[in-house]
Amino acid sequence: MSFAIRTQQLTVSYGGEPALWNVDLEIPELSMTGILGPNGAGKSTLLKAILGVIPRLSGSVDVAGTQNTPVAYVPQRTTVDWDFPTTVLDLVMMGTYGRLRWFQRPGRQEREDAMAALEQVRMTEFADRQIGELSGGQQQRIFLARAFVQQASIYLLDEPFAGVDAKTETLIIEILRQLRETGNTIVFVHHDLTTVRSYFDHVVLLNRRLIETGPVGDVFTEENIQQTYGVMSHSLLEKKLTDGQGCDA
Ligand code: ADP
Ligand code: MG
């Protein structure tokens, strides 16, 4: 198996207890990989560590194919300032900045690429709207369009379905499947355990430590789900009580 992303002994801390602890994983090239775990498990932190936008305490991150911009990132929609005064088209064109030289301004080609990406997410008619006027599902779609124009080979998305309607979710998953079929690796944080088997072929179960990772059929088991979402926090609770620290977890 050749990997798109590999972490070895990855530890990330924001100052206190590590948000990620000794995480070893390989995400296969051309896979559709799900990052699963409870709130605070370090899922967003993992994506940011892969992007290299937060410092590691220790360990390493390798991304295959280090040419230009191998990785495109779609942040969690709720972490974005939607009041920022910009149009849909301008926001999508920002995705092309990585391939421009510093003295170049986006031109006709960039504009065409941005319009093509908007077409892909069926948002062409919104090109001149302010981003603040969009619904949650529409916001998610233009962020996806902004990722497309980056011409990456690995796409990282943080909870792309949070706050979007069922119809948009279907549209987005179809787009991601196509993207994968045309030779890309797709990695996204996901919460709905009922769709895990149909969406992913590979999963990462995370709760600050790596619980398990591998093909969805092998790894997405009752026992591992329990460990990721339940048993782990229970044992943590016991530990805290025995340590006499009370419970803040
Ligand atoms: P998830 O995405 O799985 O919900 P996060 O990666 O956002 O989890 O957060 C993991 C842990 O790191 C949480 O305890 C969170 O409070 C903490 N954390 C995340 N970002 C920061 C930050 N910028 N500063 C301090 N702590 C943070
Ligand atoms: Mg998160």
Side-chain angles (χ1 to χ4, degrees):
M1 173 189 87
S2 50
F3 66 85
I5 296 161
R6 180 178 62 190
T7 73
Q8 291 177 300
Q9 301 282 297
L10 174 65
T11 298
V12 176
S13 163
Y14 292 100
E17 272 181 56
L20 287 177
W21 218 81
N22 263 348
V23 173
D24 284 305
L25 58 85
E26 286 190 3
I27 294 176
E29 243 176 346
L30 309 183
S31 65
M32 182 86 94
T33 293
I35 312 284
L36 310 174
N39 283 332
K43 304 180 298 295
S44 298
T45 300
L46 177 63
L47 296 190
K48 289 173 191 164
I50 292 167
L51 287 164
V53 298
I54 48 169
R56 303 186 294 273
L57 197 63
S58 59
S60 63
V61 174
D62 295 299
V63 176
T66 44
Q67 82 289 5
N68 291 336
T69 26
V71 183
Y73 172 56
V74 178
Q76 208 172 331
R77 194 172 52 82
T78 49
T79 63
V80 172
D81 175 13
W82 291 99
D83 293 329
F84 188 79
T86 187
T87 67
V88 167
L89 182 62
D90 284 341
L91 182 123
V92 175
M93 272 205 292
M94 282 174 206
T96 67
Y97 288 6
R99 62 171 124 124
L100 300 174
R101 293 177 183 277
W102 65 268
F103 52 84
Q104 265 184 316
R105 294 176 59 78
R108 182 199 293 255
Q109 183 65 54
E110 284 69 36
R111 198 186 157 83
E112 276 173 16
D113 290 355
M115 285 308 290
L118 281 175
E119 174 78 48
Q120 247 184 307
V121 299
R122 314 222 180 115
M123 286 290 290
T124 318
E125 69 270 38
F126 293 88
D128 297 323
R129 295 279 189 92
Q130 290 292 312
I131 59 168
E133 298 170 24
L134 305 177
S135 73
Q138 292 167 341
Q139 290 175 342
Q140 194 64 59
R141 277 145 68 187
I142 63 164
F143 258 71
L144 210 53
R146 192 183 68 153
F148 291 159
V149 298
Q150 292 175 36
Q151 301 172 336
S153 56
I154 301 170
Y155 290 80
L156 304 181
L157 304 92
D158 204 343
E159 302 194 30
F161 303 134
V164 313
D165 56 73
K167 210 174 130 207
T168 304
E169 175 160 341
T170 307
L171 174 70
I172 292 175
I173 195 73
E174 277 316 310
I175 293 168
L176 294 177
R177 282 174 176 153
Q178 275 173 27
L179 206 57
R180 185 230 179 146
E181 274 157 29
T182 52
N184 298 286
T185 306
I186 316 294
V187 180
F188 67 92
V189 176
H190 191 54
H191 273 297
D192 179 3
L193 299 185
T194 65
T195 45
V196 167
R197 282 175 197 280
S198 62
Y199 285 178
F200 304 110
D201 51 24
H202 199 89
V203 288
V204 173
L205 299 178
L206 196 68
N207 195 340
R208 297 191 175 236
R209 295 165 190 260
L210 181 73
I211 306 298
E212 193 63 81
T213 184
V216 68
D218 301 346
V219 165
F220 192 64
T221 61
E222 191 65 38
E223 191 190 340
N224 284 337
I225 297 166
Q226 278 284 322
Q227 260 206 34
T228 309
Y229 291 91
V231 178
M232 188 86 170
S233 60
H234 185 251
S235 58
L236 202 68
L237 175 73
E238 266 178 8
K239 183 180 178 302
K240 290 210 182 244
L241 290 176
T242 15
D243 291 349
Q245 298 173 343
C247 172
D248 56 8

